[in-house]
């Protein structure tokens, strides 16, 4: 079982990869971290190889937490670039995207304060800041799921309305966008499940996942993210 602090570091890897200049590399490290946790949690016995894999997962998560100290400006540029969204975009999609960007932007300083408290730079309890960063992460994921569901509804309606009039190329493009949104929903749902697990006990299934399940969900999310990034990302950028 990973220490509580290490678990809360491990949960925070889903944000920021859209803003990272090398998203596939970052997501590969994320997938490796969760893969080690999956294997370490699934293998019998806490000592030997399982313990070493869990320790490796903790180290990789800590590395990514430290690297995220430099992501605030990238996220801020992204949020400012999106602003209130394009005028021609659906109002609900724009609203959800703006709220998602706000949650992501607030997430970073909360995580930084938690990290600084853990290493002793600031004198504060780190637990409350880890909880706040987890809650913001979960909110951003939920908003992302709702946004993708809205976009998916619009795409399916467009497919049905123009089934006989649009060209095969347009139909293929719309189906590719539908696939991208479905994958985004699966990715965010897997991460949201872990985010709830890392919240204080008493809220839904918080604290009830075994390490192997956390690793499995994180690995699934990371692999989808790598696939999405390699294919040029989602049809909507938040």
């Amino acid at each position: 079982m990973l220490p509580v602090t290490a678990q809360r570091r491990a949960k925070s890897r889903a944000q920021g990869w859209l803003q990272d200049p090398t998203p596939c590399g970052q997501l590969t490290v994320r997938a490796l971290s969760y893969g080690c946790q999956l294997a370490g949690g699934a293998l019998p016995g806490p000592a030997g190889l399982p313990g070493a894999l869990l320790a490796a997962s903790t180290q990789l998560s800590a590395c990514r937490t430290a690297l995220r100290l430099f992501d605030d400006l990238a996220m801020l540029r992204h949020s400012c670039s999106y602003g209130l969204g394009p005028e021609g975009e659906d109002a609900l999609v724009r609203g959800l995207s703006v709220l998602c960007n706000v949650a992501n932007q607030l997430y970073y300083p909360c995580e930084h304060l938690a990290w600084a408290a853990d290493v002793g730079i600031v004198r504060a309890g780190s637990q409350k800041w880890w909880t706040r960063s987890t809650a913001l992460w979960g909110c951003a994921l939920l908003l992302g799921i709702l946004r993708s569901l809205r976009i998916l509804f619009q795409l399916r309606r467009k497919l049905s309305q123009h089934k006989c009039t649009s060209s095969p190329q347009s139909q293929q493009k719309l189906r590719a966008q539908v696939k991208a949104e479905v994958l985004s929903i699966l990715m965010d749902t897997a991460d949201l499940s872990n985010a709830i697990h890392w919240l204080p006990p008493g809220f839904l299934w918080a604290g009830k996942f075994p390490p192997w399940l956390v690793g499995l969900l994180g690995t699934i999310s990371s692999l989808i993210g790598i696939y999405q990034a390699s294919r040029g990302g989602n049809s909507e950028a938040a």
Side-chain angles (χ1 to χ4, degrees):
M1 186 73 174
L2 286 173
V4 172
T5 298
Q7 288 180 337
R8 297 196 179 281
R9 285 172 180 161
K11 59 84 190 154
S12 61
R13 299 311 96 210
Q15 264 88 295
W17 66 271
L18 285 174
Q19 291 77 47
D20 195 287
T22 56
C24 286
Q26 290 289 337
L27 283 170
T28 300
V29 177
R30 184 179 191 265
L32 181 59
S33 174
Y34 276 119
C36 288
Q37 187 172 3
L38 169 61
L43 291 173
L49 181 59
L53 289 171
L54 291 175
S57 175
T58 302
Q59 292 296 321
L60 289 169
S61 297
C63 172
R64 302 203 67 231
T65 300
L67 289 174
R68 195 177 299 279
L69 294 170
F70 309 98
D71 284 352
D72 297 73
L73 291 179
M75 183 65 218
L76 183 59
R77 284 196 300 268
H78 171 74
S79 298
C80 292
S81 175
Y82 185 81
L84 297 178
E87 290 186 4
E89 193 175 42
D90 178 72
L92 182 56
V93 172
R94 290 170 59 189
L96 291 170
S97 297
V98 170
L99 291 175
C100 185
N101 286 340
V102 170
N104 280 328
Q105 195 68 61
L106 294 174
Y107 162 86
Y108 286 101
C110 288
E111 185 189 50
H112 300 341
L113 284 169
W115 173 86
D118 275 346
V119 300
I121 294 176
V122 298
R123 293 185 178 180
S126 66
Q127 188 63 42
K128 64 180 180 180
W129 291 108
W130 286 119
T131 300
R132 288 169 184 172
S133 68
T134 304
L136 286 166
W137 184 47
C139 288
L141 291 168
L142 181 59
L143 290 166
I145 291 170
L146 294 175
R147 180 188 56 196
S148 289
L149 286 172
R150 173 63 176 174
I151 295 172
L152 189 60
F153 171 77
Q154 291 178 313
L155 289 172
R156 293 183 67 87
R157 184 172 60 181
K158 190 179 294 185
L159 273 171
S160 62
Q161 289 176 345
H162 303 285
K163 189 173 183 179
C164 300
T165 59
S166 60
S167 65
Q169 291 81 4
S170 298
Q171 291 281 325
Q172 185 178 5
K173 183 179 179 180
L174 287 174
R175 290 193 182 94
Q177 291 176 327
V178 168
K179 179 182 176 182
E181 294 302 334
V182 170
L183 289 175
S184 291
I185 292 170
L186 292 175
M187 180 175 66
D188 287 347
T189 301
D191 283 330
L192 181 59
S193 298
N194 274 344
I196 293 174
H197 164 72
W198 277 305
L199 288 171
F203 180 75
L204 297 178
W205 56 84
K208 296 183 178 180
F209 283 180
W212 69 266
L213 182 54
V214 174
L216 176 62
L217 291 170
T219 300
I220 291 172
S221 168
S222 299
L223 292 178
I224 293 175
I226 291 172
Y227 174 79
Q228 291 277 58
S230 67
R231 295 291 295 246
N234 201 343
S235 62
E236 281 292 325

